[in-house]
Amino acid sequence: ADTTTASASASKTHKSKVLIIGAGASGIAAAKALAAKGITDYIVIEGRKDVIGGRMHNINWPPGTNGTVELGANWVEGVNGPTINPITELANKYNLVRTPTNWDDISVRDARGAVAEKVWGPIAEKFDAMHEEAAEMAAQRVQDGLQDMSLRAAYRMLGWNPTTPVEMAIEWNGFDAEQAERPDVSSHAYTADMHSFGPDYDFVVDKRGFKTIIEQEANAGGLGYGSQRLHLGKVVNSIQWAKDTGSSKATTNVSPTPQVTVKTKDGTTYVADYVISSTSLGVLQSPDIKFTPALPPWKIQSIFEFNIATYTKIFLNFPKKFWSDTEFTLYADSKRGYFGYWQNTKAKPYKKFFPDNSNIFFVTVTDLEAKRIEQQSDEATLDEIMVVLRKTYGPNTPRATHIHVPRWHSDPLFRGTFTNWPIGQVRQEFENLRAPVGNLWFTGEHTSLKYFGYVHGAWLAGLDIGGSVAQCIKGKCPSMPIHTTVKEDCGSSLKKRGFDVGERS
Ligand SMILES: Cc1cc2nc3c(=O)[nH]c(=O)nc-3n(C[C@H](O)[C@H](O)[C@H](O)COP(=O)(O)OP(=O)(O)OC[C@H]3O[C@@H](n4cnc5c(N)ncnc54)[C@H](O)[C@@H]3O)c2cc1C
């Protein structure tokens, strides 16, 4: 149990067998896996003051209505496949309200207004066929042990060279809308086909928010709000995992301490035999948590090699609906990805889940655009958006009455939205990203080889690492590969990723 000591002069120290940092999907799954193996002496600490769920996060919006919008994860991605998505299982268990998405229900506009389907339709068909070929080619190259390349290179090899605004918008919709970065910086082998548990997506429209499945799992595991084992408002700023060498230089030659000491900004100390950190890749890349001693070079390199992308949904509420009935509208600008991807809450499958007195039309931006927009005022962003909308829908388009811009990239508890696999990173780098140092273990969506980036990836990674730590406690620690030197061995190491050509289709 949590053994707490405090004195008048010193802040509190909590001791437990396991400390889990972060109460998102991965952290809660890790706790669940520990409990399943009979380990109940753990504490979960979370930086946010009043809510768990991490990147599954909803707000009540627009103001003055009973509407709910998801600022983070919105879809159960990969449903209706041969194997059930574990998040679908949780969604069923807790009656999470969701509605299927129809990606084909789409229209396209440009600065002159609507673009005829006979113009964009064949371009979209060409892109889809080409992208499918790129996915098959990736699987074949993995089988043949060939080196990774950028997805852009594969597109070029398959004769796809977008130049017009419509071609760029179609490509953005077909790739960036999923990975939140450009094909130019993305791995062909790892990102050409991201489908996992199935080809379809369920859009979450539950008033309790997508995070309710995490909250309810936490509750079932004795980690409900107010419980002794869930400590909110605890922002970790230091982790001591090995003897302090006194040097700030990364070195592999350190002796891990039997216990890990974690300190939080408010002066609380946690001492545990094992610590599982579920903070995002973006947090690990930032200087916010001081590791003592510095993490080993192989660990640091793996953390910096991977990308955390930014996917920003900008929510807008208008006095009336002026857009088309399709679920999605692509706006094709000469600047690729410029306010290009619009979702319609008045579309048939969604309408009944959003308040009648709201007219929400939201637009997604990614990558550099997302980061740029976070830096400016919401009013400035709305001004830009209104210029776009008035160009394509006409000068009388009403100005939005409300705007909400999430700032995932600048939020110190996240520093981005989800992981994207960059060009040429080999499996060994990934194994290093996932590997523990001493008794400090790592989980989170970025540590799921098959499903990085997704809620189900975070959940499965948490179950896996929680289970491994439980085994360690029982004296049967599983061995995790660590590569102190990473050699170029991309193709053959990719083969070991755990899937083959057939499995991904
Ligand atoms: C905008 C957006 C859209 C997305 N869309 C989808 C989608 O549709 N479908 C899908 O499957 N996935 C989607 N994702 C990805 C999905 O949300 C994540 O992969 C998943 O929720 C990550 O869970 P996690 O437990 O790994 O990390 P997190 O949810 O980030 O949990 C980590 C926790 O650690 C806490 N923390 C961080 N630093 C510290 C610190 N220093 N001290 C204490 N606590 C700390 C954080 O507050 C957080 O609660 C989306 C994400 C975003 C942001």
Side-chain angles (χ1 to χ4, degrees):
D2 172 17
T3 326
T4 307
T5 54
S7 70
S9 58
S11 300
K12 272 189 178 165
T13 297
H14 297 269
K15 289 191 175 163
S16 57
K17 196 83 184 152
V18 187
L19 176 74
I20 298 171
I21 303 172
S26 222
I28 298 302
K32 187 180 165 93
L34 286 168
K37 294 216 158 119
I39 312 290
T40 52
D41 181 9
Y42 54 76
I43 297 175
V44 177
I45 58 175
E46 163 57 47
R48 278 193 177 144
K49 289 194 178 72
D50 49 10
V51 71
I52 68 167
R55 281 171 268 173
M56 299 162 84
H57 189 67
N58 58 296
I59 57 166
N60 169 230
W61 199 87
T65 72
N66 68 347
T68 297
V69 291
E70 297 285 349
L71 306 186
N74 222 146
W75 280 283
V76 182
E77 299 206 15
V79 300
N80 304 327
T83 319
I84 190 161
N85 185 329
I87 301 304
T88 302
E89 272 172 339
L90 292 179
N92 291 342
K93 185 172 168 187
Y94 298 115
N95 299 316
L96 187 75
V97 186
R98 51 215 195 268
T99 181
T101 290
N102 177 3
W103 302 105
D104 295 332
D105 189 17
I106 198 162
S107 53
V108 180
R109 303 184 75 87
D110 67 11
R112 289 163 302 183
V115 178
E117 189 164 348
K118 67 175 192 290
V119 173
W120 66 262
I123 299 171
E125 271 171 36
K126 187 178 167 196
F127 175 81
D128 288 347
M130 183 283 305
H131 186 82
E132 215 172 292
E133 228 183 299
E136 282 161 18
M137 181 177 155
Q140 191 56 53
R141 286 176 63 90
V142 168
Q143 288 288 316
D144 297 345
L146 299 180
Q147 197 190 3
D148 191 19
M149 59 183 174
S150 71
L151 186 59
R152 171 65 67 214
Y155 282 180
R156 287 190 195 118
M157 286 164 77
L158 295 166
W160 173 257
N161 289 296
T163 49
T164 67
V166 171
E167 285 168 345
M168 290 190 286
I170 297 281
E171 180 188 275
W172 192 101
N173 177 51
F175 184 74
D176 301 39
E178 188 65 25
Q179 288 310 107
E181 288 194 326
R182 290 165 302 139
D184 309 58
V185 301
S186 303
S187 156
H188 177 220
Y190 282 88
T191 67
D193 179 1
M194 294 302 294
H195 282 160
S196 48
F197 287 97
D200 300 327
Y201 289 43
D202 282 343
F203 192 75
V204 176
V205 282
D206 197 301
K207 290 259 172 281
R208 299 165 296 174
F210 199 169
K211 70 171 186 325
T212 189
I213 63 170
I214 303 302
E215 290 175 322
Q216 297 203 48
E217 280 293 293
N219 215 13
L223 287 167
Y225 293 115
S227 92
Q228 295 275 318
R229 289 192 293 169
L230 176 67
H231 298 192
L232 297 178
K234 299 288 177 188
V235 179
V236 173
N237 59 8
S238 113
I239 302 180
Q240 175 158 8
W241 60 280
K243 282 209 188 85
D244 191 355
T245 56
S247 162
S248 58
K249 276 208 173 150
T251 164
T252 320
N253 303 320
V254 294
S255 14
T257 41
Q259 289 187 313
V260 182
T261 304
V262 172
K263 293 197 167 147
T264 58
K265 267 189 176 169
D266 64 357
T268 313
T269 301
Y270 293 86
V271 180
D273 292 356
Y274 294 89
V275 169
I276 301 175
S277 169
S278 76
T279 67
S280 73
L281 178 63
V283 170
L284 292 175
Q285 288 174 349
S286 81
D288 296 347
I289 301 178
K290 182 174 186 289
F291 292 91
T292 306
L295 292 171
W298 55 266
K299 187 75 188 177
I300 292 179
Q301 186 177 320
S302 70
I303 288 170
F304 287 120
E305 294 270 18
F306 288 85
N307 291 356
I308 183 139
T310 303
Y311 179 103
T312 304
K313 292 178 259 188
I314 302 171
F315 295 94
L316 299 150
N317 189 41
F318 292 90
K320 62 171 191 186
K321 171 179 174 289
F322 54 83
W323 49 91
S324 93
D325 290 334
T326 51
E327 283 184 41
F328 298 90
T329 302
L330 297 185
Y331 167 68
D333 194 272
S334 54
K335 193 170 159 196
R336 189 179 180 281
Y338 190 69
F339 302 113
Y341 183 74
W342 293 80
Q343 282 176 254
N344 170 18
T345 63
K346 291 287 184 193
K348 246 197 182 144
Y350 311 104
K351 199 174 171 0
K352 67 173 184 241
F353 301 110
F354 288 88
D356 286 341
N357 59 345
S358 71
N359 293 292
I360 306 168
F361 195 32
F362 64 98
V363 60
T364 296
V365 290
T366 55
D367 200 11
L368 300 179
E369 268 301 289
K371 292 174 192 167
R372 178 183 72 83
I373 279 161
E374 285 195 16
Q375 306 304 319
Q376 67 184 20
S377 72
D378 292 359
E379 276 305 298
T381 300
L382 182 52
D383 287 346
E384 282 188 44
I385 289 173
M386 290 315 303
V387 171
V388 164
L389 292 176
R390 283 176 182 151
K391 263 198 255 173
T392 186
Y393 291 96
N396 297 328
T397 305
R399 189 175 172 90
T401 50
H402 303 92
I403 178 167
H404 185 87
V405 183
R407 284 176 167 76
W408 290 104
H409 177 70
S410 18
D411 187 330
L413 292 176
F414 300 95
R415 301 206 180 273
T417 54
F418 44 77
T419 303
N420 184 30
W421 197 293
I423 313 159
Q425 289 323 309
V426 302
R427 181 181 166 134
Q428 293 168 342
E429 283 292 5
F430 169 79
E431 286 174 345
N432 282 350
L433 185 60
R434 190 167 164 266
V437 293
N439 288 339
L440 170 61
W441 290 65
F442 296 87
T443 186
E445 54 83 10
H446 57 286
T447 66
S448 169
L449 183 58
K450 264 189 174 177
Y451 310 122
F452 60 87
Y454 297 103
V455 172
H456 46 273
W459 182 256
L460 291 172
L463 291 180
D464 183 32
I465 294 301
S468 295
V469 168
Q471 277 180 264
C472 292
I473 292 169
K474 294 182 169 181
K476 290 187 205 139
C477 225
S479 77
M480 302 265 285
I482 292 172
H483 313 275
T484 49
T485 318
V486 175
K487 301 252 170 65
E488 185 161 352
D489 175 30
C490 186
S492 59
S493 63
L494 282 173
K495 256 193 220 172
K496 296 181 215 142
R497 186 180 174 189
F499 59 84
D500 57 27
V501 189
E503 200 185 324
R504 293 220 93 187
S505 56

